Amino acid sequence: MIVFLSICFTSAQQCDQPEKNARFNCHPESSPSSEKCLARRCCWQPMNSTLSDENVPSCYYPRDFPTYRVISSEPTSFGQRLIIMKPQSTYMPNEILNLTVDLFYETTQRFRLRIYDSTNKRYEVPLQVPVVQTKANATDYDVSITQMPFAILVKRRSTGVIIFDSSVSPLIYADQFIRFSSVLSSPYLYGLGEHRQALLINVTNQWKTLPFWTRDTPPVENNNLYGVHPFHINVERTNETPVNFHGQFLLNSNAMDIDLQPLPAITYLTTGGIIDLYLFTGPTATDVIQQYWDVIGKPTLPPYWSLGFHLCRYDYHTIDNLRNVIKRMSDAQFPYDVQWTDIDAMSSHLDFTYDEVLFNGLPDLVRSLRSEGKHYVNIIDPGISSTQPAGTYPPYDDGLRREIFVKKFNSSDPIIGKVWPGTSYEIFTLLNAIFKSIGWTAFPDFTNENSVEWWTNIAGTFHETIPFDGIWLDMNEPSNFVDGSQQGCTNTTLDNPPFVPHVLGGKLSASTVCPSAQHALSSHYNLHNIALKAIRGKRPFILSRSSFAGSGQYTAHWTGDNKSTFKDMYFSISAILSFNMFGLTNVGADICGFGLDTTEELCTRWMQLGAFYPFMRNHNAGKDQDPAVFSWTAQQIMKQAVLMRYSLTPFWYTLHYQATVSSKTLIQPLHFEFSDDENTLGIDQQFLLGRAILVSPNLISNTTTVNAYFPRDIWYQYPSGEKVEFVGVFANLDAPLDKINVHIRGGFIIPMQIPGDNLMLSRGNPFILIVALSSFKNATGNLFWDDGDSIETKIYNYFEFSSVENTLTINATVTNYRDSPMRLELVRIFGVNQSVTDVIVNGKEHIDFFHNISDQVLVIYALDLAMIEQTIQTIRWITMK
Ligand SMILES: *[C@@H]1O[C@H](CO)[C@@H](O)[C@H](O)[C@H]1NC(C)=O
Ligand SMILES: *[C@@H]1O[C@H](CO)[C@@H](O)[C@H](O)[C@H]1NC(C)=O
Ligand SMILES: *[C@@H]1O[C@H](CO)[C@@H](O)[C@H](O)[C@H]1NC(C)=O
Ligand SMILES: *[C@@H]1O[C@H](CO)[C@@H](O)[C@H](O)[C@H]1NC(C)=O
Ligand SMILES: *[C@@H]1O[C@H](CO)[C@@H](O)[C@H](O)[C@H]1NC(C)=O
Ligand SMILES: *[C@@H]1O[C@H](CO)[C@@H](O)[C@H](O)[C@H]1NC(C)=O
Ligand SMILES: *[C@@H]1O[C@H](CO)[C@@H](O)[C@H](O)[C@H]1NC(C)=O
Ligand SMILES: *[C@@H]1O[C@H](CO)[C@@H](O)[C@H](O)[C@H]1NC(C)=O
Ligand SMILES: *[C@@H]1O[C@H](CO)[C@@H](O)[C@H](O)[C@H]1NC(C)=O
Ligand SMILES: CC(=O)N[C@H]1CO[C@H](CO)[C@@H](O)[C@@H]1O
């Protein structure tokens, strides 16, 4: 039997690996065989076929596979520097035998490990990360080194839990292939995007390969998708509480796979760059995220108007249709803020144009929207048409002159691919054959500094024609309708690397440009995953499909071309939760679904859920799905959801501010707030806004209840204020079509505002506070408010609210922004369980209040308090003893 032969070939002892979960795959490429495996001097031992073993590698590293050993070690100002070396190459071409290992003890909670070629400089990601040259004098982690074979072990000092241990498999470091592994502290992870997956990655009995290579493809499980975020949070489960978390980020932009196995362990397999690995010791999940964002940058503060409801559709087709949509939305008195157009409004899909025939009058329409306080966003694809007559299309002519296009390998000519430009909608849909012969495009190279001026010029010129308020960057993976280029790719090792991660299409050029194409900074091979380099401007609104670690500093994100199904709606929750961890906090999915036709039920449910996405846009291709096309009843339900969102925008805006200044996610999983409660580990059908608002959408068709979990705490139903009786259990909540379950957590004060038809019109409306008392009968909250549009956020107002012992204190700590009449009209206090006899506002009796003792809700109305006139204001309620 082959199995026996192979065991004999290598020595039985080296291959002796009783624990199948400890096998590290030595042949991650497809179709391993005994010959190929043994040629690598690895162990070949297929498992007897049972379903549970189907992913256990047959080819795995023997324990004494040749690897590096430490040659020298010296302390440095930042920590420690090792020289490691390996006497002989193994199976990869161009292995690098001499490596330098730098151990940076950057902060108390942040450790950085860099392993690089001792002799030759290699490509590194051009992300600006903190430069730390002095070692932190106290750390939450202990690092130890094994000399031979070289390995690194990192433990949490307080518990001894292992958070990194590379000794489990050999390090291989070749020019186009770097692999290393570490054990995980538990089989429970969050992160590793962009992938369509449940929120919790549970590798108990699971072998998993996740490819990373930005790709334009509808979101399908296990595929590489639009963005690349090699960051995860690992739960450290011990029998003790509190539960700790740590994080890990591989700063590497090359095509890679990340393998997970039930040992539990993680393996990185990347096709280039260097090992630049960060460990963050938390100890809470929130801490880990803050420590991660300290490295990659914090999210940008979006303009206030962009918190509203956005409406878009692929193929409005004519301006009359677009006008009809705007009119029926207005006739339905449906609140919304932003109208978008897709590529069909361009002339022949050319960037920075509009179709002056089919969309004749678009500039005036945009001006009229803006005069009503609405905003307009248009789309830009990165592909710039290269086939327009010379002198007729400045973006190409000017780009060519400035030499800002991505070039062919070993050439000064632009690489030419094919995207939308140059085709008209009719040709695309009706004459696909003709379409295939046109559409050639060049790709601007945003690593070329000249491209900034080029972009600013053409965008500025177009802005004079149509005063757009935001830019939608689609197709920037970059997407290409031909693999590689017009002429295919080269046969260099960049286009044919020795290891290809498990990317969709099986090759790196699939649906994008050739990896060998040249950018100013480096090859596309290295830069593909960061092809997007966004543009800064005046508090910009940019929506980008592609993303890399750090993109949240510039852009919002949506989850791509999903379908109109309940399953897609469910997956949108883990996606927005994960992108919050990745620092792209302003994120949403195409509400009601992008592809396929939606149904009234699905769209109603999705509008309710979408009202709690940070970024709320209804967008699709196919049948109209703007709220106004549905039945009157459905419209009312959707409107109620949007009004709920609009009334909460002061809270949302404050969350955005806190993301920007103090690295807080806008939305988060329950487990991050209730980590000692094991029941919350995998919950991804409910989520929290900030720390205070729990959303439990109904995600199942034709049902009128939702099975929801309430962690042990005080929860009040919103808007009624009724207290939840059952906590620490899953319970069925009433969830008919007209209801989305929203609960407010005791201990929090939520600033709200009376909504209007759009956020510009409602800016001067009165404010409302909801005070949700904790079990200690106290609560806190805050509010950030500025003009919503300036780049600098120096002129603003800031309030701290607190409620203790029956007194709500409003503390106006910053009051620089005076252009807005901020008036507090109404306060609703949840959890007032003693009869209220009097209410005293700023020392004076206030008679306008109502207390419902059975609901335990105290409503104080007709307040009319000028919020910035006095620093401290108080509202006190006297209860019967
Ligand atoms: C497969 O089954 C044979 C016979 O039952 C056994 O001897 C062998 O050890 C098994 N192999 C593995 C990898 O479990
Ligand atoms: C690697 O290091 C060894 C010992 O320091 C040295 O002799 C050798 O020349 C180096 N090899 C390369 C390729 O730099
Ligand atoms: C670390 O060093 C700094 C500067 O010398 C000092 O101010 C600080 O107290 C030290 N911290 C600890 C925990 O020793
Ligand atoms: C993780 O997966 C295992 C095996 O499938 C399962 O028994 C366990 O319940 C899962 N854990 C969670 C928190 O979902
Ligand atoms: C690059 O182009 C030059 C000039 O055409 C040619 O001599 C050279 O062989 C090319 N190099 C590669 C690696 O193709
Ligand atoms: C690339 O193709 C050319 C022509 O087919 C051939 O001569 C050359 O050897 C190939 N180079 C590589 C690296 O495979
Ligand atoms: C929901 O009910 C409607 C009407 O009875 C039916 O047409 C539809 O197929 C049901 N949907 C699902 C997912 O069961
Ligand atoms: C409420 O009071 C308790 C007990 O004093 C305290 O631990 C908690 O931090 C307070 N909560 C708020 C929101 O002020
Ligand atoms: C108001 O806030 C300021 C700044 O945070 C603080 O110093 C002050 O003590 C607060 N006053 C009250 C009454 O809470
Ligand atoms: C229209 C569209 O993009 N549909 C895609 C949605 O995702 C599925 C896989 O889940 C694809 O098969 C569809 O093509």
Side-chain angles (χ1 to χ4, degrees):
M1 231 178 117
I2 290 174
V3 175
F4 272 84
L5 277 176
S6 59
I7 292 172
C8 296
F9 187 88
T10 50
S11 98
Q13 195 200 354
Q14 295 167 332
C15 289
D16 177 31
Q17 184 49 271
E19 161 79 291
K20 68 183 181 201
N21 292 340
R23 289 185 176 193
F24 284 83
N25 197 352
C26 176
H27 197 285
E29 301 91 335
S30 56
S31 43
S33 68
S34 126
E35 289 78 24
K36 291 189 234 170
C37 179
L38 300 180
R40 292 182 175 187
R41 303 208 158 261
C42 283
C43 308
W44 178 256
Q45 194 179 6
M47 298 299 293
N48 292 328
S49 56
T50 64
L51 204 56
S52 66
D53 285 345
E54 107 190 302
N55 295 316
V56 178
S58 304
C59 179
Y60 57 95
Y61 290 100
R63 274 177 297 147
D64 55 354
F65 191 84
T67 185
Y68 295 84
R69 61 193 161 87
V70 177
I71 299 297
S72 71
S73 166
E74 56 174 7
T76 63
S77 62
F78 55 76
Q80 200 174 353
R81 172 167 288 173
L82 315 174
I83 305 296
I84 62 172
M85 104 168 231
K86 177 159 102 161
Q88 84 220 54
S89 290
T90 56
Y91 62 87
M92 266 292 157
N94 304 315
E95 287 192 26
I96 300 164
L97 301 179
N98 287 352
L99 296 171
T100 303
V101 180
D102 283 345
L103 312 177
F104 289 82
Y105 298 71
E106 292 203 338
T107 71
T108 308
Q109 297 90 10
R110 185 170 88 222
F111 174 67
R112 182 181 187 187
L113 169 66
R114 285 169 52 86
I115 306 183
Y116 53 92
D117 186 338
S118 303
T119 332
N120 299 306
K121 177 122 186 65
R122 293 175 56 76
Y123 164 76
E124 292 189 32
V125 185
L127 183 73
Q128 283 195 354
V129 298
V131 178
V132 177
Q133 286 303 345
T134 44
K135 181 176 170 172
N137 44 6
T139 59
D140 285 354
Y141 47 86
D142 273 327
V143 181
S144 49
I145 313 289
T146 312
Q147 308 273 326
M148 204 168 92
F150 159 70
I152 289 183
L153 176 74
V154 184
K155 287 182 179 176
R156 180 181 295 283
R157 195 185 290 266
S158 61
T159 59
V161 166
I162 294 173
I163 58 180
F164 185 83
D165 179 2
S166 68
S167 70
V168 285
S169 84
L171 164 67
I172 297 184
Y173 205 119
D175 183 33
Q176 289 185 282
F177 180 76
I178 299 174
R179 79 164 300 289
F180 66 101
S181 308
S182 169
V183 294
L184 293 164
S185 309
S186 82
Y188 300 126
L189 291 85
Y190 300 95
L192 297 180
E194 177 174 4
H195 293 98
R196 166 170 293 211
Q197 56 198 356
L199 174 72
L200 178 70
I201 305 172
N202 176 358
V203 295
T204 313
N205 300 326
Q206 281 277 333
W207 298 74
K208 221 174 167 48
T209 292
L210 295 170
F212 292 74
W213 184 241
T214 55
R215 168 70 196 242
D216 170 17
T217 179
V220 176
E221 280 131 293
N222 300 318
N223 277 354
N224 46 311
L225 299 177
Y226 314 100
V228 165
H229 300 274
F231 165 73
H232 73 259
I233 297 175
N234 194 193
V235 184
E236 295 167 31
R237 288 206 72 81
T238 59
N239 292 327
E240 277 149 51
T241 55
V243 169
N244 293 325
F245 298 78
H246 67 263
Q248 210 173 93
F249 169 50
L250 182 67
L251 176 51
N252 181 294
S253 68
N254 285 87
M256 72 172 96
D257 275 344
I258 293 182
D259 286 354
L260 300 168
Q261 66 194 71
L263 185 58
I266 183 167
T267 300
Y268 296 90
L269 304 106
T270 180
T271 57
I274 68 161
I275 296 177
D276 196 345
L277 185 81
Y278 285 92
L279 299 183
F280 311 103
T281 58
T284 68
T286 308
D287 296 335
V288 170
I289 291 167
Q290 285 173 355
Q291 291 151 17
Y292 177 45
W293 294 5
D294 284 345
V295 171
I296 62 162
K298 298 182 178 68
T300 180
L301 183 67
Y304 186 72
W305 56 265
S306 72
L307 273 57
F309 175 50
H310 299 241
L311 186 61
C312 184
R313 191 193 135 154
Y314 172 63
D315 194 24
Y316 282 123
H317 200 64
T318 66
I319 193 150
D320 290 338
N321 274 336
L322 175 57
R323 285 208 173 97
N324 284 342
V325 172
I326 295 171
K327 179 163 188 314
R328 70 173 171 252
M329 287 290 284
S330 159
D331 292 347
Q333 294 178 296
F334 203 95
Y336 88 113
D337 266 274
V338 193
Q339 180 63 55
W340 297 49
T341 54
D342 205 326
I343 55 172
D344 54 288
M346 297 176 180
S347 168
S348 303
H349 295 158
L350 295 173
D351 280 347
F352 305 107
T353 68
Y354 73 97
D355 191 321
E356 294 180 30
V357 179
L358 290 175
F359 283 83
N360 183 22
L362 185 59
D364 287 338
L365 180 60
V366 169
R367 283 187 196 99
S368 108
L369 282 171
R370 295 178 100 225
S371 72
E372 295 162 16
K374 293 200 174 76
H375 290 79
Y376 168 77
V377 175
N378 76 319
I379 187 166
I380 302 291
D381 288 349
I384 297 293
S385 176
S386 60
T387 53
Q388 304 307 303
T392 65
Y393 187 51
Y396 183 69
D397 297 337
D398 187 36
L400 212 51
R401 197 161 40 242
R402 294 174 192 261
E403 297 186 20
I404 54 88
F405 294 115
V406 178
K407 296 183 174 57
K408 283 187 222 169
F409 176 72
N410 198 21
S411 158
S412 56
D413 296 337
I415 189 164
I416 301 298
K418 185 188 277 190
V419 206
W420 297 113
T423 64
S424 72
Y425 178 78
E426 280 74 14
I427 292 170
F428 170 59
T429 51
L430 302 177
L431 293 168
N432 200 30
I434 293 178
F435 159 71
K436 280 192 165 27
S437 69
I438 46 187
W440 298 116
T441 51
F443 300 88
D445 170 9
F446 289 107
T447 71
N448 183 328
E449 54 187 30
N450 296 332
S451 67
V452 176
E453 203 181 315
W454 165 81
W455 175 272
T456 314
N457 273 345
I458 52 173
T461 307
F462 188 57
H463 195 267
E464 284 165 18
T465 309
I466 299 189
F468 57 86
D469 298 290
I471 290 180
W472 174 18
L473 295 170
D474 196 11
M475 311 292 284
N476 53 352
E477 289 73 27
S479 181
N480 186 354
F481 296 161
V482 294
D483 290 349
S485 81
Q486 201 174 25
Q487 291 141 343
C489 295
T490 70
N491 61 0
T492 58
T493 56
L494 290 178
D495 288 330
N496 293 298
F499 172 74
V500 179
H502 289 74
V503 298
L504 184 62
K507 54 183 181 182
L508 298 185
S509 60
S511 292
T512 191
V513 302
C514 301
S516 64
Q518 293 298 310
H519 295 247
L521 189 68
S522 183
S523 62
H524 193 71
Y525 180 89
N526 288 327
L527 295 171
H528 173 84
N529 284 338
I530 54 168
L532 158 82
K533 192 173 169 235
I535 332 88
R536 293 174 193 254
K538 170 187 164 55
R539 178 108 55 106
F541 179 78
I542 299 169
L543 178 74
S544 170
R545 192 168 67 183
S546 180
S547 66
F548 184 72
S551 298
Q553 288 177 71
Y554 312 106
T555 179
H557 176 65
W558 91 108
T559 57
D561 297 345
N562 61 7
K563 284 195 294 194
S564 299
T565 67
F566 278 82
K567 185 177 163 200
D568 277 79
M569 178 165 65
Y570 154 69
F571 273 123
S572 75
I573 300 176
S574 3
I576 58 172
L577 286 168
S578 296
F579 271 100
N580 263 263
M581 300 174 210
F582 303 148
L584 280 123
T585 44
N586 198 9
V587 58
D590 282 344
I591 291 164
C592 304
F594 173 78
L596 304 181
D597 288 335
T598 198
T599 63
E600 181 162 303
E601 184 203 9
L602 174 63
C603 197
T604 305
R605 291 296 193 196
W606 210 328
M607 284 290 290
Q608 289 171 324
L609 168 61
F612 294 92
Y613 289 161
F615 168 59
M616 183 185 191
R617 185 181 70 160
N618 173 327
H619 170 52
N620 76 315
K623 232 170 55 180
D624 281 319
Q625 66 181 29
D626 54 278
V629 294
F630 295 103
S631 72
W632 187 86
T633 313
Q635 280 178 31
Q636 301 319 304
I637 301 170
M638 294 181 188
K639 194 189 289 184
Q640 195 190 0
V642 172
L643 288 175
M644 206 187 269
R645 176 189 183 84
Y646 277 34
S647 60
L648 282 167
T649 43
F651 179 67
W652 274 114
Y653 196 52
T654 307
L655 290 179
H656 278 289
Y657 178 71
Q658 283 164 348
T660 304
V661 299
S662 44
S663 299
K664 297 274 176 29
T665 55
L666 268 62
I667 65 161
Q668 56 174 337
L670 266 77
H671 192 57
F672 289 6
E673 277 294 308
F674 300 95
S675 49
D676 294 343
D677 182 346
E678 214 178 317
N679 289 328
T680 61
L681 249 174
I683 291 179
D684 59 8
Q685 307 202 353
Q686 296 173 268
F687 57 92
L688 286 166
L689 260 62
R691 305 178 57 209
I693 298 183
L694 176 64
V695 183
S696 312
N698 186 338
L699 303 167
I700 302 170
S701 178
N702 292 340
T703 57
T704 54
T705 57
V706 60
N707 192 243
Y709 186 73
F710 288 92
R712 287 182 199 286
D713 206 330
I714 306 277
W715 300 96
Y716 301 97
Q717 203 180 102
Y718 180 79
S720 74
E722 200 180 311
K723 196 160 136 191
V724 173
E725 298 299 334
F726 302 99
V727 295
V729 290
F730 282 89
N732 281 333
L733 304 177
D734 215 22
L737 191 58
D738 61 2
K739 178 172 179 189
I740 176 155
N741 277 284
V742 177
H743 292 83
I744 300 187
R745 183 175 170 193
F748 292 89
I749 299 178
I750 314 288
M752 298 175 53
Q753 196 177 22
I754 295 182
D757 282 349
N758 65 54
L759 293 180
M760 288 300 105
L761 296 180
S762 64
R763 280 189 61 84
N765 286 1
F767 286 82
I768 299 169
L769 293 179
I770 290 195
V771 179
L773 296 176
S774 72
S775 53
F776 300 100
K777 298 285 165 209
N778 58 5
T780 59
N782 44 34
L783 169 63
F784 170 83
W785 197 250
D786 68 354
D787 71 1
D789 228 351
S790 306
I791 311 172
E792 296 272 353
T793 45
K794 287 204 177 107
I795 299 178
Y796 63 92
N797 299 334
Y798 195 79
F799 302 88
E800 284 169 6
F801 309 115
S802 71
S803 184
V804 239
E805 291 169 359
N806 294 359
T807 304
L808 168 65
T809 304
I810 299 165
N811 188 348
T813 60
V814 182
T815 55
N816 296 326
Y817 174 60
R818 304 228 142 227
D819 294 349
S820 176
M822 300 186 72
R823 303 198 83 82
L824 178 65
E825 184 60 22
L826 183 77
V827 175
R828 299 179 68 213
I829 303 156
F830 296 168
V832 180
N833 57 2
Q834 288 168 314
S835 294
V836 176
T837 55
D838 297 281
V839 168
I840 316 286
V841 176
N842 290 333
K844 295 202 191 85
E845 181 90 30
H846 184 86
I847 55 166
D848 298 315
F849 72 91
F850 174 77
H851 182 223
N852 183 331
I853 185 77
S854 66
D855 287 355
Q856 305 189 0
V857 176
L858 170 64
V859 180
I860 305 170
Y861 55 97
L863 278 164
D864 199 27
L865 288 186
M867 295 173 68
I868 52 175
E869 303 290 274
Q870 275 170 268
T871 308
I872 304 290
Q873 309 199 54
T874 56
I875 298 175
R876 194 153 67 88
W877 56 102
I878 318 276
T879 54
M880 249 164 13
K881 287 287 171 284

